[in-house]
Amino acid sequence: MPDQPIASVPIEKHDLGPEWEEAARLAAHNLGLTGEISELSPEHWQVVLASVEARMGLRGVALPPGWRRTLARQAGRLEPEDRPGARVAALRAKREEIAAQVALELGLGELGGLSPADRDLVDRQADETIAGCATPATEPADCSDADRTMRRLLSEHRALA
């Protein structure tokens, strides 16, 4: 069989119309989110995407395949898997929020003012809380006593993980 050269097929990157970015900006504004849409947290970006989907559906616009990724690219955002280490950084940041909440619940105050021994205690408690309240934990802890803030933080941590 003769060696035929392999021709690469260019991947077309279709852009969405400007109304898509405008819908995202309007959604962020109406949700009370400040700043550029390219700088929104991953959680807020997901809420904006849900709003854009609903808005475009109400307008009778068909959602093209890959519209979320295309909109993220056009808005100056990259999906987490496109940014090296972004998911790890987001998980670390969420874990730090959980540790801050643990410190408050233990009556130790802000993380920045803790002694090394108190910080170790908070870190151990945060790790135990995350592991114990994880959905696939072998023996899940009873997390019903966690306040609303802690339940939200744990839920967001699980979503990132």
Side-chain angles (χ1 to χ4, degrees):
M1 188 170 182
D3 288 334
Q4 297 261 343
I6 298 175
S8 64
V9 177
I11 299 172
E12 294 182 36
K13 288 188 176 181
H14 296 287
D15 283 343
L16 300 170
E19 66 273 10
W20 289 80
E21 280 186 75
E22 183 56 33
R25 278 191 209 85
L26 185 60
H29 174 75
N30 289 343
L31 291 165
L33 305 174
T34 59
E36 295 294 319
I37 57 175
S38 62
E39 301 297 320
L40 293 176
S41 70
E43 293 88 2
H44 289 151
W45 178 245
Q46 292 303 314
V47 174
V48 167
L49 286 176
S51 181
V52 168
E53 183 175 8
R55 287 172 189 273
M56 298 314 258
L58 287 172
R59 293 180 187 172
V61 175
L63 301 171
W67 70 269
R68 288 178 182 87
R69 180 178 291 281
T70 304
L71 182 58
R73 179 179 47 80
Q74 284 180 226
R77 298 183 60 88
L78 295 176
E79 297 288 327
E81 59 270 11
D82 293 339
R83 291 182 281 165
R87 185 171 303 233
V88 172
L91 266 171
R92 284 185 184 145
K94 191 55 65 180
R95 189 216 171 273
E96 197 67 9
E97 286 183 63
I98 291 170
Q101 185 65 22
V102 166
L104 290 175
E105 289 176 359
L106 293 175
L108 298 173
E110 299 292 321
L111 285 179
L114 296 180
S115 70
D118 285 344
R119 179 59 199 231
D120 286 344
L121 172 70
V122 167
D123 285 338
R124 279 194 312 275
Q125 184 65 43
D127 289 341
E128 289 173 11
T129 301
I130 290 168
C133 294
T135 303
T138 54
E139 294 180 29
D142 178 15
C143 298
S144 60
D145 62 339
D147 68 4
R148 180 185 301 177
T149 302
M150 183 60 83
R151 285 195 305 267
R152 177 185 55 81
L153 291 171
L154 290 167
S155 172
E156 291 170 354
H157 187 274
R158 279 192 303 271
L160 288 168

